[in-house]
Amino acid sequence: MKTQPWQRDPEAYDFQFTITPLFFHLDVERHVNNVAVQSFHTEGRLRYLMNVSGADGIWCSDQVLLRPRRTVTQFLEETHYLTDVQCAVKLVAVDKDSCRFVIALFQNGECTSVQDCLMGAWRDGQWQPLPASLFDTLSARLGEVPELAPWPDFEAGPEADQGYPCRTPLEPRFIDQDTDRRLGELTIARYLEQSRVSSLDAMRLPGLGLLVARIDIHYLDWPAPLHSASLATGIAGFGNSSFRVHSGARVNDVLVGVCESVMVLMNREQRRPTPIDAAMRDAMAGSLVAG
């Protein structure tokens, strides 16, 4: 999935605000962590929706929950601490069952990441039509639709993780719940990050690092309460200097999210991609997705 030229232009968006990275957003690479970047995109859609339709039913609801069905986040540049980030949001599609946003982040005049997000309404354990009032409000706001890239060819069903060979148990925490006492969106992203990290030790060698180029998440369930969790991961394929990781997270033995991450092997000194050699491929052979 490639970014379109207009997505890198802040003037192409309908709604903008500034957000400040905090120190605890940093990871061991000393730039803003990928889930923290995703949290900025989440904040963008939330503020847009509150701006056009008010807070009621958007950020706190005991009835219909507005939640992402799928997000594809592309990381174009590193996001750094101590410099404000401009968050830009554009509504690009509305239908009876979903709405689609593009959210971009800009820092120091550069586009650092772009997210495509398909939102839906969740109630009684399944996706529902959008509330009529929200559908009407968003339809009235929808302007000219720009060119959009097709979604990546990565589908996910309720048993998608069965062929992922690396398994890790996880203990849910109180903080994993959101304001609706459901599993939080960013908690799912964090679980999937942990699943990916837990399976890549063979790629962590002196002088080498791993960067995330793209994260494609399908959100499948929003359980409450949280009793148990488990993670599953597998390598889905290698390129020259990149590889694809498939991850799944289960809560209460239900698959809540599945993810494809495109990772790039980097030479730390040169800050450039470096080839994945035969020894690394052999070391990861046991982690390949079955089938």
Side-chain angles (χ1 to χ4, degrees), residues 22-265:
L22 302 178
F23 182 77
F24 69 80
H25 289 143
L26 302 185
D27 60 18
V28 296
E29 302 292 342
R30 297 186 178 178
H31 54 67
V32 177
N33 170 263
N34 73 85
V35 178
V37 170
Q38 291 178 76
S39 77
F40 298 165
H41 290 290
T42 301
E43 185 73 15
R45 336 180 208 111
L46 176 63
R47 292 199 192 187
Y48 177 93
L49 288 164
M50 292 177 68
N51 182 66
V52 301
S53 61
D56 292 345
I58 297 300
W59 69 276
C60 185
S61 171
D62 294 325
Q63 302 300 320
V64 176
L65 305 176
L66 195 62
R67 294 291 188 272
R69 300 184 65 150
R70 185 178 187 181
T71 60
V72 178
T73 310
Q74 300 180 78
F75 301 88
L76 309 177
E77 303 285 347
E78 294 176 354
T79 302
H80 295 283
Y81 180 51
L82 288 180
T83 303
D84 283 348
V85 172
Q86 182 183 8
C87 184
V89 186
K90 186 172 183 63
L91 177 69
V92 295
V94 183
D95 63 32
K96 292 294 184 180
D97 295 321
S98 62
C99 54
R100 182 174 176 180
F101 294 93
V102 173
I103 309 99
L105 304 181
F106 299 87
Q107 191 176 54
N108 295 323
E110 298 290 333
C111 183
T112 59
S113 66
V114 173
Q115 184 183 91
D116 279 75
C117 175
L118 188 69
M119 300 287 292
W122 180 266
R123 185 175 184 179
D124 298 330
Q126 60 185 341
W127 296 109
Q128 307 275 357
L130 294 179
S133 59
L134 179 63
F135 173 80
D136 291 342
T137 297
L138 294 179
S139 296
R141 297 284 301 221
L142 184 63
E144 182 179 352
V145 178
E147 183 178 1
L148 297 170
W151 294 99
D153 185 20
F154 172 61
E155 299 299 328
E159 303 299 324
D161 62 332
Q162 293 306 298
Y164 303 172
C166 304
R167 303 279 164 165
T168 306
L170 194 68
E171 186 70 25
R173 305 163 301 171
F174 176 78
I175 198 173
D176 293 343
Q177 301 174 96
D178 63 15
T179 56
D180 298 305
R181 299 180 182 272
R182 299 277 179 160
L183 185 68
E185 171 190 346
L186 295 173
T187 296
I188 294 176
R190 188 68 76 189
Y191 284 2
L192 294 169
E193 176 193 49
Q194 183 62 43
S195 179
R196 178 176 67 243
V197 169
S198 298
S199 65
L200 298 178
D201 287 344
M203 307 288 286
R204 303 182 188 282
L205 300 175
L208 299 179
L210 294 171
L211 290 181
V212 183
R214 185 181 76 205
I215 295 179
D216 182 354
I217 301 177
H218 289 260
Y219 298 86
L220 304 176
D221 208 308
W222 304 95
L226 314 181
H227 296 303
S228 63
S230 61
L231 310 176
T233 314
I235 306 297
F238 290 100
N240 179 45
S241 59
S242 66
F243 58 101
R244 292 178 293 115
V245 183
H246 287 182
S247 304
R250 287 183 173 267
V251 172
N252 306 342
D253 202 33
V254 173
L255 190 64
V256 297
V258 66
C259 170
E260 180 177 75
S261 304
V262 177
M263 309 293 296
V264 179
L265 186 65

